[in-house]
Amino acid sequence: MPKLRQRQRMWKAFNYPSKNIIELSQCAHEHVQSSFSTTHKDSGKMSPPPNKKPIKSCYADMLNDKDRNAKYFEGIRAAVGRVKERGERAVVLDIGTGTGLLSMMAATAGADFCYAVEVFKPMADAAVKIVEKNGFSEKIKIINKHSTEVTVGPDGDMECRANILITELFDTELIGEGALPSYEHAHQYLVQEGCEAVPHRATVYAQLVESKRMWSWNKLFPIHVQAEDGEKIIASLPEMENCPGAPAVYDIQLNQVPLSDFTALSDVVTMFSVDFSKPVSRASASHRVQLEPVKSGRAQVVLSWWDMDMDPAGSVKCSMAPYWVLASSEDIPWRDHWMQCVYFLSNEEPVFQGQSVGLTAFHDDYSVWYKLQKGRKENANTNIRIERPMCCCQAHLLWNRPRFGELNDQNRTAQYVRALNKVLERNSVCLSVSDGSLLPLLAHHLGAEKVFTLESSAVSFSLMKKICEANHLEDKIKIIEKHPELLLSSDLDNRKDLWRIRSPCGFCEEFDVRIMDQMIKYSLDFREAREAEPHPLWEYPCKSISEPVEVLTFDFRQTVPEHTIRKEGILNLQRAGKSHGAVLWMEYHLIPGLSVSTGLVQISDEKGYCQWTPHCKQAVYFFSSITEPKSEPLTNSPSAVAYTISFSPKSGDVAMDFKFIN
C-alpha cells in the first residue's frame, strides 16, 4: 500500500495553570505545533538517585499551594502550643523537608529546635542556604540522609528523640512515596511515644462509579469495521476480560472530568484512616466497607482521594475532594502535586440498587487497590489473600491508559478506516511499523492482499500474536520481531512494493525561598531543561495567545533525509495573557482533507481557551521567564516569539529555542 504521509506543526504561546515529548513516530502525515499558555504537575518526595544534573523541580508547585501551606502552618502552631502547654521543650523532626519551609514554620511558631531531614543532596544544600538566609541556622539542622539512616544520641544526627513529627511524604495515592515505612521507622527510633504529629491524621475516601470513558482507559472494546463484504469485528483478548490491568494507580485531575462522563453508583464512603501520631505499620492490610448502591449499573471504576487533619480535633483540614463532593466548587485550590485517583476493577460487575455489596481496599507499603465483593460482610470470605494485582494479558504492559483510550476512540478509528479505504487496492501489501498497533488488522479487513507488522519488542510481538489468534488471523498477518533498521527483504517474503511547577516562589508564607527560584532558573538553563516536556493538557485549563503555526513537515512517502531539518520563524502574540511556554504536537495527515491530531482540538472562543485531545500528551517547552504580550499601555512588552526548531533524522533528537522579540 502507498505509504501515508506525515507532517509536523507547531503553535502558540500558552497561558498554562501545568504535566510528560512525544516521540516522532506513529503513522501518516504529521505536524508539530506550538502554543503559548498558562497551566499547573507531579511532585515526588521520594528523591531520585543523586546525580550532578540540576533539578527540574516540582517543589515549586507545593510552595505555591497556599491552601496547603496555610493549613500546615496552622497545624504546626497548634502542635508547638500543645507541647509548650505541657511545659516541655518543643523538638521537631521534619522528614522530607525540601526547602526547609515546614521547619521554618515550626521555628517561627516557637519550637526550640528542628531536625530537618532531606535525602536529595541538591535540595538539602539549598535548604541549608534558605534556612541561613532566613535567620534560622541556630534552630534548624539540615540532615542530608534518608530518615531511616538518621541516628539519635550524643554522637548521632539528633541529640534526642523529637516530640513533634512533621512530614510531607504524600502523593496522590497518599502512601506511594513511602510514607508508611518512613513513619514506622520514625515512631520506632526517632520520636517519643505520644508525640504530636502534623498532619495528625489522613483519611481515604472512595466512590464506586460506572464510566464508559474511564473504562476505555483499561479495556479494549470490540472495534467494528465496515468492509466491502460486510461488518468485521476486531475482538479483544479473552484473558483481558478478567485481567487486573496495570498495577499502578491512574492519577488525574478529576476536577476536569464532567459529571456527564460517569454515573455514581454509590455515595462517597470512608475506606480507612491513618493516625500519624501513633505507631504506623507498613504491613499489608485490607479495609472492607459495605456499600448500598444508590443506582443500578455496571461497577467499573473506584474514584478515590484523601484529606488530612492537621490537628487532633480535625478543625484544620486539607482536602483533595473533587468538585462534586464539596459544598462549593468555586474556591477549590489548584494543586498538581496532589490530585485524585482512578482505580479499575479487574472486571465490570453488575450492581443493583438495594442489593448490598462489599468494597475492599487493599494496600501494601506503597500501593492501594480495590476489589468488589457481592453479599454482606458477615457472609464474606475474611481470609482474602492480599496480593498486588498484576497484568496477565500483556496488553497493559504495552499500552498505557491514554493509549487504551486512543484505541477505543471510534472517531479516530473511523478516520483511519476512511484513509485506508482511499489508498488500499486489492493487490496492496502493507507494512505496519508501530509496536502494538491495530492498523494491520484494519488493513486486512479492508482488503489488503498481504499484511506485515513489525514489532520491535518481545512484549509487543507476543501481544500481537495473541490478538491475531483471537481474531483468527494468525495465517493472514505476518508478525516480525525486529527493529526497523534490521528488516530484510526476506522478512517481507522478498516483496518490495506539559507553569506553576516552574513559577518563581519568592517569599512563601513570608519566608525567603528565592534560593529555590535560582535553582529552578538554573535548571531551566541546563541543556536537558531546554527541551519540551510531555504533559496531558486536557487536564489543565490553558489559553492560547497566538495562532497555530506549522513548523516541520515529514513526508513518509519520501526517503528519510540524512541531513538535519531546520526551521525558523515568528509567532505573533495576538491575545492578552501571560506567556509561560510553547506547546508542540503532531498532526497526522492520512489522505488529503483527513487528519488525526495529537494536540489541539479547537480554540473554543475569542479569548483563546483550548480543547486538547485526551489520548495524547503534548510537548510543553517552558520559558525561563513569564512575559506579558504587547498591548496598550504595555508598549515595552514583547509582541512576538522567534523560534528555531531542528530535527536530526540520524539521532532522532529535536532541538528548539524560543526568544521574545519586541
Side-chain angles (χ1 to χ4, degrees), residues 10-16 34-38 543-546 571-573 578-583 621 623 640-641 643 658 660:
M10 149 187 177
W11 78 277
K12 314 186 213 340
F14 73 95
N15 210 208
Y16 174 58
S34 145
S35 142
F36 305 106
S37 263
T38 345
K543 180 173 84 168
S544 72
I545 57 176
S546 77
L571 288 166
N572 293 313
L573 307 184
K578 295 179 180 179
S579 299
H580 292 100
V583 179
Y621 182 100
F623 299 148
V641 174
Y643 66 83
F658 296 85
F660 288 105

Side-chain angles (χ1 to χ4, degrees), residues 437-449:
S437 172
L438 298 182
L439 287 177
L441 285 78
L442 289 178
H444 169 77
H445 286 317
L446 294 173
E449 177 188 327

Side-chain angles (χ1 to χ4, degrees), residues 378-448:
E378 55 268 22
N379 300 323
N381 179 10
T382 56
N383 297 316
I384 302 172
R385 186 179 179 185
I386 302 174
E387 188 173 292
R388 190 180 181 200
M390 299 292 290
C391 172
C392 60
C393 72
Q394 292 190 307
H396 301 90
L397 303 179
L398 184 65
W399 300 331
N400 60 18
R401 275 65 178 259
R403 178 60 170 157
F404 267 98
E406 192 174 55
L407 293 173
N408 286 317
D409 187 333
Q410 296 178 0
N411 293 329
R412 179 180 178 277
T413 299
Q415 299 283 69
Y416 276 99
V417 169
R418 286 176 58 193
L420 288 168
N421 273 326
K422 188 76 174 178
V423 299
L424 280 176
E425 299 175 359
R426 292 192 180 278
N427 63 346
S428 292
V429 178
C430 301
L431 171 63
S432 172
V433 186
S434 181
D435 282 358
S437 172
L438 298 182
L439 287 177
L441 285 78
L442 289 178
H444 169 77
H445 286 317
L446 294 173

Side-chain angles (χ1 to χ4, degrees), residues 2-16:
K3 290 185 181 178
L4 300 176
R5 321 188 268 153
Q6 168 179 313
R7 271 164 100 196
Q8 258 198 342
R9 200 189 252 181
M10 149 187 177
W11 78 277
K12 314 186 213 340
F14 73 95
N15 210 208
Y16 174 58

